[in-house]
Amino acid sequence: MRGLDAGQWLVRIEGALPAYISVQQYERTQARLAANRARAEAAGAPCNGPALLGGLVVCGICGHRLQVSYEASGQGLTGRYSCQRRHHTYGEPRCQQMAAGFLDDHVVAQVLSALAPAALELSLTAAGQVEARRAEVDRIWRQQLERADFACDRARRQYQLAEPENRLVARQLEREWEAALGERAHLGEDYERYQQQRPARLSAAELAAIRALAGDIPALWAAPTTTVADRKRLLRAVIESVQVTADGATERVQATVTWAGGQQTHTGLRRPVARIGQLSYYPVLTERIRVLAGQGLGNAAIAAQLAAEGFRTPRLHERFHDGEIQQLIRRLGLRPGLDHDQRTGHGSLGPGQWWLAALAREIGIPAATLFGWLKRGWVSGRQDTRPPYRWIITADSAEVERLRVLHQLPAGYHSRRRWTGDGTPDQHLERQGARQS
């Protein structure tokens, strides 16, 4: 019977044995311990990480809680929510992942907006708490004064009961009586100063300050004295869960906030993505750039026009940089740049030779990824001797296809150390081809 939950007990007799705490307090403690356990079905205890919705975010695809991970950046720790339960347990692909900042900002704005009507009640509660604390401090002061009066009275009675012929004893008792009277006088003066500085009832100015502070809930939220754990506890007090569903790898996310009590709020959000090709409006964006470039506009003018039309960057910035526009124009082949120049320090590019950026576009990967492969020795190349000292990669059609297959390997596959082999991708691809055959 010890393994059964309380709801499965056949008999429950309360008060049969003496206890240190009540049954209600015990049940509240057990419920809080269960909620603080680091398990898949529990939200877990609030931690000190900057991601505010840890334990509250739920995947809209599989229904599991999203896990929180952090990475160091120039602004400190950057949080990320990712659904990895099925990936870790069954080796399945990850459902979705997203940056924590944009989702935290949205939910915090929703919570602060919902708490705004409770500002008056909050101010009255805060004023009552301040007066209650002052009344408690005043009671402690009065107890100290009472003890000082008792000490003075006892010293007086001891002095009066002393025999006159015991002069040494009488002198000692007289000094103790005078010391008790002096301590009582100092304590009374301190109490009077305290009453002048902190009266039992709040003044009109103090009440107005409390109402103004309670009415400015965002200032309380952003106050330096409000810790991250305090913010997380406040969010958990009013929110049950936040369900998110990303539209593939695009920037579009559907968020459903379930409030305490069951009320839900549905919102469509935009999240930052890594590459411009992930944007849902990328075809519309490129077509618009073609039109603007065909009109003879420069990079700065195109960027300004796109910002005015509401196009946002992958990182949700309001305006594209001029260099980003130039790179897009070159990628679309509207204005050939350095990548279309075939000249090198040793003549022209030969058959099967690529500029690194051009080959990265051909494969469909970031140039930084291909450069990392070059440093690891996964591709062969040399650096041009002519400024701007670009890298020349040697890759025929078979090599280009091999790199495409290499790019399709699962995330993290390249950085793992295998039990056999030297860790080069050629051996992994050979084993993969052998398994398929």
Side-chain angles (χ1 to χ4, degrees), residues 338-370:
L338 288 176
D339 294 341
H340 295 268
D341 185 7
Q342 303 296 315
R343 295 173 297 175
T344 71
H346 300 282
S348 301
L349 288 175
Q353 290 185 337
W354 303 74
W355 296 119
L356 187 145
L359 181 58
R361 287 197 300 271
E362 178 69 20
I363 301 172
I365 63 175
T369 301
L370 184 59

Side-chain angles (χ1 to χ4, degrees), residues 46-222:
C47 301
N48 294 325
L52 300 177
L53 301 178
L56 295 179
V57 186
V58 178
C59 179
I61 301 175
C62 66
H64 291 98
R65 297 182 187 274
L66 271 65
Q67 298 177 346
V68 184
S69 60
Y70 296 99
E71 58 183 13
S73 63
Q75 292 76 27
L77 290 180
T78 302
R80 177 174 295 276
Y81 301 124
S82 57
C83 183
Q84 306 188 75
R85 190 71 58 184
R86 289 185 175 182
H87 176 72
H88 290 164
T89 306
Y90 306 108
E92 298 181 1
R94 296 174 177 86
C95 294
Q96 55 184 340
Q97 61 178 352
M98 60 193 66
F102 86 101
L103 188 60
D104 291 349
D105 294 341
H106 166 70
V107 174
V108 168
Q110 293 281 331
V111 170
L112 295 181
S113 177
L115 292 178
L120 179 59
E121 182 180 354
L122 179 62
S123 64
L124 296 177
T125 303
Q129 291 177 350
V130 171
E131 291 186 350
R133 285 195 295 267
R134 290 190 179 183
E136 180 66 18
V137 174
D138 186 77
R139 185 181 63 83
I140 296 174
W141 272 105
R142 292 182 178 277
Q143 289 179 348
Q144 292 178 349
L145 291 173
E146 185 178 356
R147 285 194 294 269
D149 291 336
F150 177 77
C152 292
D153 184 66
R154 183 177 58 180
R156 178 186 60 79
R157 287 186 283 106
Q158 289 177 346
Y159 174 74
Q160 292 177 350
L161 292 176
E163 297 292 339
E165 53 271 10
N166 296 330
R167 296 179 180 177
L168 294 178
V169 175
R171 290 174 182 174
Q172 179 62 29
L173 293 176
E174 184 180 8
R175 285 193 293 267
E176 293 179 357
W177 185 16
E178 292 177 352
L181 291 174
E183 184 177 354
R184 172 61 178 83
H186 289 303
L187 189 61
E189 294 173 357
D190 294 340
Y191 177 59
E192 290 179 0
R193 283 193 297 268
Y194 169 78
Q195 283 186 318
Q196 294 176 358
Q197 297 173 358
R198 293 287 189 275
R201 302 291 298 179
L202 295 176
S203 63
E206 290 173 331
L207 287 173
I210 291 177
R211 290 193 180 97
L213 186 61
D216 193 3
I217 295 180
L220 291 175
W221 176 271

